[in-house]
Amino acid sequence: MALAGPVAASVAEPDVPPGETQSSNMTHLSNQPKNGALQGTGSDIAFQGKYAFAGNYDGFTVYDLTDKENPEQVVQVYCPGSQNDVSVYKNLLVLSTDSSRSDDSCASTSLPATEKAAWEGIKIWDISNPLAPEYIKSIETECGSHTHSLAPAKDGRNLYAYVSSYSPNATYPDCQPPHDFVSIVKIPLKNPTSAKLVATPNLFPDGGYEGDPARRASTTSGCHDITTYAKYDLAAGACMGDGILMDIKDRERPRVISQVRDTVNFAFWHSATFNNDATKVVFTDELGGGGLATCTDEYAPELGANGIYDIKRSWYGKKELEFASYYKIPRINTAAENCVAHNGSLIPVKGKDIMVQSWYQGGVSVFDFTDSDNPRELAWFDRGEGLSSGGTWSTYYYNGYAYSNDLGIGFDTFDIDDSIDGRAERVKQYSLNPQMQESYGY
């Protein structure tokens, strides 16, 4: 996320008036306000067992979901460094640091990226006891770690982290242009303190998209998010100016097998979500970097939206991405409400492709993209202008409820109408990670 400048006033009145809250087919059950040492921006969420691990620019919070409708905050870990996006796998938690720090400790301070001594990368924690996380290892990566994506090896011995980072600068010693690669960290599960950087494959040997300042479209210089789907040996990369599909059968040597570019409507390829059988990918366009009000009536429904792509097989068997449609929330916001497609996950309804998703101050949207060409909204929740300083960053569905991390006001819990997720409530998950998809057992 990178905040953009001010925009012109909206002509139309907002659908949800300032200071009010409205919803359809969703019930807001509870909010756990930000508190204590973690006053920074709320970011991503990962789940394991009865716990949710919620990132914050100042560290992460552990919530006990025993009471699913009113989670209990049980641990705060202070460890500053944006974005602090978080993933969990077995007894490990991985945290992304994408701001230059004086060192890799949790007592670090800010340091200019122009200084060679500055540190950025990933941090690994032992969460064998979720109530007492133990910081055990760090790995520095070029340009830091804006996000990361986990991919377990087929033999179960190692866990790989694909580290996404971008925006190189010739004045940054540890983030030099053109930065067309992804950093791959290998984490031995029996000895995670021996984790190390093992590869930096170049995903864009041709340099990728050159960008277009006239429409705020970003140059490709690395990836923002990569979503892995180990069952199918696939990964989808949202890489600023390009969307890619990768074969990750060899975890240390991912291969780009399909590359797409939208030079008309997409400006910043931000994140990706597969459907359950890996025949589609929903890419998000974070036009304006998270600070732009793209949900006013001045922005077309194709701008700041999702792009839905089918995965097709060519006549010779190659998998290729094929554009189907756009999806954007239909509500009008004010010009003071940052609103653009952001992070979400599938709702495990058998036979359907349904997703819950955050839209910053545009709120939370549940939409059905079973028909790739005709996505439609099923439910939504929206706080009007003035109730949150930035809106919801990430919303994920886990064991019958939707949980959301708001940039400004904390951790929210939602119940979605049974007419939409009734069958999904019977699907029990042991874990859920934002950028590591696992197949639903139904």
Side-chain angles (χ1 to χ4, degrees), residues 289-301:
L292 198 61
T294 75
C295 298
T296 66
D297 66 338
E298 295 184 45
Y299 285 86

Side-chain angles (χ1 to χ4, degrees), residues 92 124-126 134-139 186-196:
L92 298 178
I124 302 173
W125 302 71
D126 186 322
E134 180 186 358
Y135 180 18
I136 59 173
K137 178 71 175 182
S138 71
I139 299 96
K186 181 180 181 180
I187 308 171
L189 290 173
K190 289 187 176 180
N191 185 22
T193 56
S194 65
K196 63 181 180 180

Side-chain angles (χ1 to χ4, degrees), residues 111-119 140 173-174:
L111 204 65
T114 52
E115 295 193 23
K116 177 63 178 175
W119 183 92
E140 187 171 14
D174 297 322

Side-chain angles (χ1 to χ4, degrees), residues 209-240:
Y209 184 49
E210 67 277 8
D212 182 357
R215 60 182 192 87
R216 301 175 184 254
S218 297
T219 301
T220 297
S221 59
C223 292
H224 183 281
D225 270 30
I226 294 173
T227 295
T228 63
Y229 205 159
K231 175 181 177 179
Y232 294 98
D233 289 326
L234 290 175
C239 302
M240 305 178 69

Side-chain angles (χ1 to χ4, degrees), residues 178 180 204 206-222 239-243 259-264 266-269:
D180 290 325
F204 301 99
D206 65 350
Y209 184 49
E210 67 277 8
D212 182 357
R215 60 182 192 87
R216 301 175 184 254
S218 297
T219 301
T220 297
S221 59
C239 302
M240 305 178 69
D242 293 278
Q259 184 173 350
V260 289
R261 189 175 295 166
D262 184 341
T263 60
V264 176
F266 257 46
F268 191 94
W269 296 69

